Amino acid sequence: MTTEHGHPAVRMHIAGEWCQGGTGRTAPIVNPATEEVIGEVPLATTADLDRALGAADEGFRVWRGTPVARRTAILHAAAGLIDERAAEIGRVMTREQGKPLAESTGEAHRTADTLRWHADDARRAYGRVIPSAPGTVLTVRREPVGPVAAFVPWNFPVGGPNRKISSALSAGCSLVIKASEETPATAAALVRCYLDAGLPPGVLNLVFGEPAEVSAHLIASPVTRLIAFTGSVPVGRLLAAEAGRAMKPSLMELGGHAPVIVCADADPVQAARRAAQAKFANAGQVCTSPSRFLVHESLAEDFTAEFVKAAEAVVVGDGLSEGTTMGPLANERRLEAMERLTADAVARGAKVLTGGERLDRAGYFFAPTVLTGVPADADLMHEEPFGPLAPITAFTGLDEALATANALPYGLAAYGFTRSAATAERLSDELEAGILSVNHCGGSVPEAPSGGVKDSGYGREGGPEALDAYLITKRVSHLLVP
Ligand code: NAD
């Protein structure tokens, strides 16, 4: 079923049924490229949430009791459906979130790949047998933690929800997931792939609602055993505190403000091209997006010139239009943030080399922006920009660059460019980040963990570590009856 704007009609999925929810309250879905309302998302009542919790409680028993080979087969089938439907999922995602179609469909295919990794990892949730006294069997078992309450944002509308869903299901957990109200049809399309692949009813429940109301209710419920959140540091802090009050573990994937250190021995042109490509991907709305460019003074001029060239080559437009390489920002809040951060930097003496303003047309478009001379006390240098702003700063010595990089409370991603193995090792040792890329700005891969340190959160997604949060460890010592 589609709306009059050709967008899928959005429903929640609770206890095996697609439903509108109790009150009929809705919020608009806006296409950020046109500012048109293209649909409506239903908002859950407390009674809806209780039904979802009840279903997840029962679904946990069913899923946990399903043989692992069957669980793996269902997850692989879901991955196949995501690949098959990638073109349609991509179109829906671009209409809701704005990113170029190639990025949207690419995200859908990467999501399928991630799911395959988790499907296989379900078979490797090993425990161990520990040598003990004669007549005693001492084992360590790993068991699914139980129903998970998950909360995900709008920047990766299919990849974000899937990281939570595929990790939880691979461990044998059930979920109630609140996906973003701004990209709900994409999340629903993902859930449909799991259901069509044969996931039993109640195992995966999708809700939307007023975020603070939904999270408070789900976190406090005795059914919920783990809280998994991706989003901003302030909201993460709030949810972690609620989880703590309820004595529940949590997984917090929060924001960052990634430094890029371009050392004196690096190739400035190559570094600028790679960094700029990563900067403007998803219009900079990525938690690992490079966002503070610290360049050795001997390379600053060449690096900056190439970066400006790359920024000016970005084709900004509707993500559905051929040739677009950067779409609009996902919502009006981001546009306002870009304007505020740029104005603050300029007021404090920064120079805008290119961009610096919203585009004069409908839609939340902001020009790829490069700034120099941004002082350390400008908001842009300590607040996660989450948009297409690139402040470039020259440094003299590596000690100074490392100190600047580590000065913020964030610790998610960091990047370094150097030809020296010794310098690369120093960056690896000293940068306070959960993710470091040297000589490139590549994204995450399913087989390796992603996550932050300091205010950027705790826990890891991806890699074998992804299962850790979703499994509990149980010691069993069994004295054999003589
Ligand atoms: P926000 O902090 O209001 O919301 C971030 C996400 O958390 C949204 O999906 C929102 O629905 C959800 N949320 C908000 N309050 C919640 C609550 N009480 N309970 C549960 N979920 C809640 O900000 P925003 O305007 O959507 O995004 C702005 C900032 O969020 C960005 O500047 C960036 O720092 C951060 N962000 C980070 C990521 C990430 O991948 N880590 C993704 C999106 C946004």
Side-chain angles (χ1 to χ4, degrees), residues 241-252:
E242 286 180 12
R245 268 197 295 280
M247 198 50 78
K248 292 177 186 175
S250 58
L251 174 65
M252 291 285 150

Side-chain angles (χ1 to χ4, degrees), residues 150-156 160 178-183 209-216 219 229-236 238-239 242 252-256 285-288 331 333-334 337-338 340-341 383-387 410 412 456:
F151 308 93
V152 289
W154 41 263
N155 57 335
F156 288 101
K178 189 198 81 60
S180 168
E181 290 70 30
E182 293 171 30
T183 54
E210 203 286 300
E213 242 173 69
V214 177
S215 56
I219 293 171
F229 174 72
T230 299
S232 63
V233 175
V235 176
L238 194 83
L239 300 200
E242 286 180 12
M252 291 285 150
E253 293 289 331
L254 309 179
Q285 301 164 117
V286 183
C287 51
T288 55
N331 53 54
R333 301 186 301 285
R334 298 294 352 115
M338 294 312 101
R340 176 175 55 77
L341 292 171
E383 183 183 320
E384 179 179 29
F386 226 66
Y410 295 107
L412 188 59
S456 293

